[in-house]
Amino acid sequence: MAGLKADFGHYTHAIVRGIPASLAENALRTHAGEEVDLAEAQREEEAYVEVLRAKLGLEVVELPADESLPDCVFVEDAAVVCGDTALITRTGAESRRRETEEMKAALKDLNLNLVEMTDENATLDGGDVLFTGQEFFVGLSKRTNQRGAEILADVFKDYAVSTVPVLEGLHLKGFCSMGGPGLIVIGSSEPAQKALKIMQQMSDHRYDKLTVPDDAAANCVYMNLPNKGHVLLHCTPEQYPESAKVFEKLKDYMLIPVSNLEKVKVDGALTCCSVLINKKANV
Ligand code: GLY
């Protein structure tokens, strides 16, 4: 079994995509509720991209928004990248399948080895894929099925792949993410805690956990960057005050609160809005 990937969290590039006006009315959402303020969602997205580009120095590839694809800003679902291999997914929602076209072209331009999930019995959203640096956990959810997980295991053969039932919410990473090497950030709800227990039982590795009161706040973006060290994009105190206090206690991190008040209304989380790539791994 592979050990901790030495360059876990190292990234040089990010792929993001603009927000189409159609997101406000037509993006998929698990709960009908408050209307999305489109201008505010676009400001949030610009601020997110600015953090990646200006603050963190990543090379950001910005794909154009497509009005016929209301969810296209959530690029994470269209591809899973690990090392120099990119798996182009077959997204669980049929209305999102064409999102992979622009993604495929962008990943090809970055000279990654592309594998396409073409099996018509398979579905997989990147939001269901948690890579810990040592192994993959794949959420079996409304969007991702067993066949999708099997294909991912076949593509990333160096790593163990275990499946985890997602009992509530849209995606596995709706209530967890990596907060550092060997550190799983997890929400407090019963389904989240159950999922963590399953992950711990199935793994040969020991993980530390960082529990936050709000499930949605457990979705954060971890990076380990030259001259910056451990970096964590996490929820703002305005959105999740109690969870933000947990992150604020982390030592030796560059902590970057990022607002996600609008995109969360259509089930968008922080990891959803970028595909992170380490081109240095490929030279
Ligand atoms: N709105 C994000 C999704 O449903 O996939």
Side-chain angles (χ1 to χ4, degrees):
M1 177 177 296
L4 176 68
K5 201 168 181 288
D7 58 359
F8 181 63
H10 291 206
Y11 299 110
T12 55
H13 289 66
I15 300 178
V16 300
R17 195 161 185 178
I19 294 189
S22 57
L23 172 132
E25 294 286 321
N26 299 324
L28 300 172
R29 55 196 296 172
T30 48
H31 299 288
E34 250 186 286
E35 241 176 75
V36 175
D37 178 335
L38 182 66
E40 192 48 39
Q42 284 166 336
R43 273 193 290 275
E44 269 178 2
E45 178 63 12
E46 276 164 30
Y48 178 93
V49 172
E50 206 48 22
V51 164
L52 299 180
R53 194 196 330 259
K55 211 174 184 104
L56 299 178
L58 299 186
E59 257 188 62
V60 178
V61 177
E62 278 192 83
L63 307 180
D66 182 333
E67 286 302 332
S68 70
L69 297 169
D71 287 288
C72 66
V73 65
F74 304 125
V75 287
E76 169 183 61
D77 292 319
V80 177
V81 178
C82 185
D84 57 6
T85 300
L87 171 63
I88 307 296
T89 64
R90 189 166 180 278
T91 54
E94 220 171 318
S95 65
R96 299 194 56 190
R97 297 254 162 93
R98 282 194 305 108
E99 290 175 28
T100 54
E101 290 168 12
E102 286 276 345
M103 177 58 67
K104 198 165 60 179
L107 291 166
K108 197 163 174 224
D109 285 349
L110 290 172
N111 289 322
L112 296 185
N113 302 319
L114 300 194
V115 183
E116 274 187 72
M117 190 175 275
T118 50
D119 185 331
E120 287 185 3
N121 295 314
T123 62
L124 184 123
D125 280 12
D128 279 315
V129 179
L130 181 69
F131 179 60
T132 71
Q134 289 165 311
E135 62 192 313
F136 284 95
F137 293 108
V138 176
L140 298 182
S141 69
K142 295 179 185 74
R143 297 287 178 80
T144 296
N145 65 16
Q146 182 67 34
R147 186 71 195 119
E150 283 165 10
I151 292 172
L152 182 136
D154 210 42
V155 172
F156 299 108
K157 280 196 172 65
D158 286 348
Y159 296 98
V161 177
S162 306
T163 55
V164 190
V166 175
L167 302 173
E168 243 180 60
L170 185 62
H171 289 134
L172 178 66
K173 283 191 286 188
F175 54 76
C176 67
S177 64
M178 294 311 291
L183 177 66
I184 296 179
V185 185
I186 187 80
S188 297
S189 73
E190 210 181 307
Q193 291 292 320
K194 263 193 191 155
L196 177 67
K197 211 166 184 178
I198 292 171
M199 292 193 262
Q200 286 167 330
Q201 280 165 354
M202 282 188 307
S203 179
D204 289 339
H205 302 283
R206 276 186 60 83
Y207 293 102
D208 293 321
K209 67 170 176 174
L210 183 70
T211 305
V212 291
D214 308 283
D215 276 8
N219 181 286
C220 43
V221 180
Y222 169 75
M223 299 185 212
N224 183 354
L225 300 178
N227 305 323
K228 298 197 168 56
H230 301 293
V231 175
L232 198 68
L233 277 61
H234 63 84
C235 66
T236 60
E238 291 72 31
Q239 192 166 8
Y240 300 111
E242 295 309 312
S243 294
K245 280 184 200 156
V246 176
F247 293 118
E248 283 156 13
K249 285 192 199 127
L250 284 172
K251 299 272 175 262
D252 303 323
Y253 270 78
M254 180 179 187
L255 295 171
I256 308 178
V258 179
S259 180
N260 192 43
L261 283 158
E262 294 306 317
K263 288 179 280 181
V264 75
K265 293 176 185 168
V266 288
D267 300 297
L270 295 179
T271 61
C272 300
C273 299
S274 53
V275 169
L276 299 173
I277 296 149
N278 182 12
K279 280 290 291 171
K280 295 232 169 78
N282 313 330
V283 290

